[in-house]
Amino acid sequence: MNLFIGNLNPETNVTNLRPLFAEFGEVVSAKIIYDNATGMSRCFGFVEMADKFHAMDAIDNLDCTYFEGNIISVKEAKANNSKGSPAGNRPFKPRNPRPRTGGDYNNNRGEVNANRIDYNSRGDYNNNRY
């Protein structure tokens, strides 16, 4: 099970993080995320544990605890489904341009709105269309 660890101290490294979670079970991998431009820690990381029940035990015992100067948050990591999608988690939906022919502002299907007020040549209006 993959765990998300947030609010890490910028000085925290994987060698310090791994033993913290190893108390609760086998740690498959541990990773801290670094900024590509600056090379500095982004203050969060991931720990993958072999057993789901050990991971849940680690969440219960380590979430909101003090570690290397910060109160860390430990949660189950969510899958990243936004790869390849320009709109984040929403599926890409191309626009469907529809020809606008006739009609009024409320009805773009070429139909006439029967509730429209007609004006005659004298400037008076006639609400009775029949």
Side-chain angles (χ1 to χ4, degrees), residues 89-107:
N89 290 334
R90 294 180 300 150
F92 178 68
K93 184 177 179 184
R95 291 184 143 211
N96 185 10
R98 178 172 37 136
R100 298 183 181 250
T101 57
D104 62 357
Y105 291 108
N106 296 326
N107 187 349

Side-chain angles (χ1 to χ4, degrees), residues 57-130:
D57 193 27
I59 291 172
D60 291 340
N61 288 296
L62 294 176
D63 188 32
C64 297
T65 59
Y66 191 74
F67 178 65
E68 293 189 353
N70 287 0
I71 298 174
I72 62 171
S73 69
V74 181
K75 311 274 187 233
E76 182 179 354
K78 303 287 185 205
N80 186 1
N81 294 332
S82 65
K83 291 183 181 178
S85 175
N89 290 334
R90 294 180 300 150
F92 178 68
K93 184 177 179 184
R95 291 184 143 211
N96 185 10
R98 178 172 37 136
R100 298 183 181 250
T101 57
D104 62 357
Y105 291 108
N106 296 326
N107 187 349
N108 291 321
R109 294 186 206 112
E111 301 168 3
V112 176
N113 190 349
N115 296 325
R116 187 173 65 190
I117 298 173
D118 287 339
Y119 291 92
N120 60 18
S121 61
R122 293 181 296 167
D124 298 331
Y125 62 90
N126 180 7
N127 204 6
N128 185 2
R129 295 193 41 97
Y130 299 103

